[in-house]
Amino acid sequence: MLNTSIVLYNPNWEQVVSLTNAILQAEGVDCVYWIDNSPNPIDELPISSNKLKYIFNNKNIGYGAAHNIAIRESIYDDIPYHLVINPDILVDVQALEALLVFINQNPDVGLVMPKVLYPNGKLQYLCKLLPTPLDVFGRRFLPKRWIDKRNAQYEMRSSGYDKIMNVPYLSGCFMLLRTKALQKARLFDERFFMYPEDIDLTRRIHRDYLTVYFPHVTIIHNHEHA
């Protein structure tokens, strides 16, 4: 029912192992792919499971391109759902299973993302409108106080983040994807090495499916802003 891909680059293996063990406990998990973009492979896998597949790329091919390796396997094996997830995510079995139930019961949903918190409990504003050139430039180069109002609109803060929403841009840190939606919209665009690929993929899926924020499930993201 579900494959998962975790892209690695010199990762914190304690986090990776904890995340992987949680996913492997969920009902309906077929395979977890570790796609390693690190300079050197790991000597010995810290988890022994026939549901774990390790792929070493021998170079950093980028975030989207690495996930595509596993996504193609999901499509080939006719796995209904594929989870793209960052290695620094904390998710429990019940949360993952609840998301699977939701997407399985709603065939018009192509992508779902849960509520995401920082370790201190603060909300991460990861539901966004499609960015304009001004949004991209302002967030990167202008003082925060100059763009606070526009940024709040861009991050949909007035929504309250407390209800199910159809959102045109969801974060790539956790993307529960319907593989049929990926077949129609196509996979990550490998011309993007890192960061804009989640905007592009959500936008393409959003044309034909709902891309949903689901706040009734919460995960933790140990994210440091880059």
Side-chain angles (χ1 to χ4, degrees), residues 60-84:
N60 190 352
I61 64 173
Y63 183 83
H67 277 296
N68 281 348
I69 293 172
I71 292 172
R72 290 188 185 99
E73 293 289 326
S74 292
I75 293 173
Y76 180 81
D77 292 333
D78 200 24
I79 303 297
Y81 308 109
H82 188 99
L83 174 62
V84 165

Side-chain angles (χ1 to χ4, degrees), residues 4 8 23 44 46 50 65 90 100 103 116 121 147 154 168 172 197:
T4 301
L8 309 173
I23 294 170
E44 182 178 350
N50 59 6
L90 294 175
L100 282 169
I103 196 171
V116 184
I147 60 167
Y154 171 59
E197 73 286 318

Side-chain angles (χ1 to χ4, degrees), residues 155-174:
E155 294 178 340
M156 302 177 65
R157 297 195 181 201
S158 64
S159 70
Y161 276 71
D162 57 357
K163 58 184 176 291
I164 295 174
M165 300 187 291
N166 184 29
V167 179
Y169 166 24
L170 295 170
S171 169
C173 73
F174 188 110

Side-chain angles (χ1 to χ4, degrees), residues 111-126:
L111 162 61
V112 61
M113 183 192 76
K115 180 183 288 188
V116 184
L117 304 180
Y118 290 102
N120 64 4
K122 186 177 179 180
L123 179 67
Q124 295 189 21
Y125 294 102
L126 299 182

